[in-house]
């Protein structure tokens, strides 16, 4: 069974952390992953830096830009992760935009992910119908879960379609905004969380965008299986380097 599916079967709420590969320094990627697992994180989203990250706010954009300047590329990331499964057992997901994957070759990209032990991909700019028609068979051949995003504006019909072609979890974007642009959740967002929970979808939901502390983590996971923290963790890396990961995770849990 895929590690994502195994993790989703556990009773506890999932804490997933996102960071940009190659940030703050090019060779920090593996250490960050190992330290996050060691300190109790359940799942990790490894950001593949891209020059035009449409859904990302300033914090992630800046970390992505710095990672590119540091020399991060698709091949460098694969080379860094080639032995990651010797030390890390939790689910690992690569989150990135479609263009670098297309340039690498979709079959080659998926083959490399499988060889390394990557469990899934999050590709915000790959439409679900294009995935279903053109790429689903390739992902399944290599045992990769493709994780789709929904927002408060996503239609019921589209949510059900995403649910039907998914076999992992659904990434619930908390609001129609970029990453890192919110602090806390209001009643409208909580109504949205509850509305999706009440749909009884076959895939679990994990909430991202706006999770930045213990309070927002608990707000989100009241209605969903887990929550994703990205910008707040990158801000911590910017301030403290890789030396305070333990303290960051403990403050959430």
């Amino acid at each position: 069974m895929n590690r994502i599916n195994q993790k989703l079967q556990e009773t506890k709420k999932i804490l997933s952390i996102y960071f940009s590969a190659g940030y703050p320094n090019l060779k920090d990627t593996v250490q960050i992953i190992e330290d996050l697992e060691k300190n109790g994180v359940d799942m990790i989203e490894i950001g593949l830096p891209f020059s035009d990250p449409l859904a990302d706010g300033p914090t992630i954009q800046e970390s992505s830009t710095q990672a590119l300047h540091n020399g991060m590329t698709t091949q460098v990331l694969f080379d860094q992760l080639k032995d990651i499964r010797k030390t890390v057992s939790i689910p690992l997901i690569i989150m990135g935009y479609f263009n670098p994957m297309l340039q690498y070759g979709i079959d080659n990209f998926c083959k490399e992910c499988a060889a390394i032990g990557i469990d899934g991909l999050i590709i915000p700019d790959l439409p679900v119908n294009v995935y279903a028609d053109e790429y689903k068979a390739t992902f399944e051949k290599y045992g990769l879960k493709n994780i789709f995003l929904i927002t408060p504006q996503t239609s019921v019909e589209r949510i059900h379609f995403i649910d039907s072609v998914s076999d992992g979890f659904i990434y619930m974007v908390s609001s129609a905004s970029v990453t890192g642009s919110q602090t806390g959740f209001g009643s409208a967002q909580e109504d949205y969380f509850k509305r999706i929970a009440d749909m009884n979808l076959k895939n679990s939901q994990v909430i991202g965008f706006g999770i930045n502390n213990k309070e927002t983590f608990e707000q989100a996971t009241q209605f969903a299986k887990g929550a994703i923290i990205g910008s707040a963790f990158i801000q911590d890396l910017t301030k403290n380097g890789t030396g305070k990961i333990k303290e960051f995770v403990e403050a959430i849990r």
Side-chain angles (χ1 to χ4, degrees), residues 18 21 46-50 64 73-74 77 94-97 100-101 109:
Y18 168 94
I46 305 162
L48 178 60
F50 182 52
S64 184
T73 66
T74 302
L77 178 59
I94 289 181
M95 183 170 186
Y97 293 87
M101 301 176 192
F109 189 91

Side-chain angles (χ1 to χ4, degrees), residues 11 22 45 48-49 53 105 107 114 126 174 176 182 197 207-208 215 234 239:
T11 55
E45 295 173 16
L48 178 60
D107 193 87
L126 176 60
S174 64
Q182 304 169 217
I207 297 174
E215 180 186 2
I234 290 172
K239 180 180 179 182

Side-chain angles (χ1 to χ4, degrees), residues 14-83:
I14 288 173
L15 171 60
S16 182
I17 297 286
Y18 168 94
F19 75 100
S20 299
Y23 181 85
N25 301 298
L26 181 63
K27 295 184 178 180
D28 286 339
T29 309
V30 170
Q31 181 194 338
I32 290 171
I33 293 169
E34 292 174 343
D35 287 352
L36 287 171
E37 180 179 42
K38 184 170 64 179
N39 289 292
V41 169
D42 301 297
M43 190 157 58
I44 299 172
E45 295 173 16
I46 305 162
L48 178 60
F50 182 52
S51 57
D52 191 20
L54 303 175
D56 296 321
T59 298
I60 293 178
Q61 283 191 31
E62 288 166 13
S63 69
S64 184
T65 298
Q66 184 59 53
L68 291 171
H69 288 159
N70 290 345
M72 180 52 67
T73 66
T74 302
Q75 190 59 56
V76 168
L77 178 59
F78 285 151
D79 291 343
Q80 288 183 350
L81 297 179
K82 63 181 169 51
D83 294 321

Side-chain angles (χ1 to χ4, degrees), residues 177-206:
S177 63
V178 294
T179 57
S181 60
Q182 304 169 217
T183 53
F185 299 125
S187 59
Q189 286 161 313
E190 291 199 350
D191 288 345
Y192 159 58
F193 298 161
K194 187 174 187 303
R195 172 171 64 86
I196 301 301
D198 288 344
M199 290 178 70
N200 295 314
L201 302 172
K202 72 179 177 74
N203 289 278
S204 300
Q205 299 92 57
V206 180

Side-chain angles (χ1 to χ4, degrees), residues 210-230:
I211 321 291
N212 51 34
N213 55 27
K214 186 179 182 66
E215 180 186 2
T216 47
F217 177 77
E218 290 179 348
Q219 269 187 292
T221 54
Q222 181 182 349
F223 301 99
K225 179 62 181 174
I228 302 157
I229 297 177

Side-chain angles (χ1 to χ4, degrees), residues 118-145:
I118 298 299
D119 302 290
L121 299 172
I122 301 173
I123 312 170
D125 59 341
L126 176 60
V128 62
N129 57 313
V130 174
Y131 166 76
D133 292 342
E134 298 183 30
Y135 301 111
K136 188 170 187 284
T138 302
F139 278 57
E140 290 178 346
K141 179 172 73 169
Y142 292 109
L144 296 169
K145 306 299 182 184

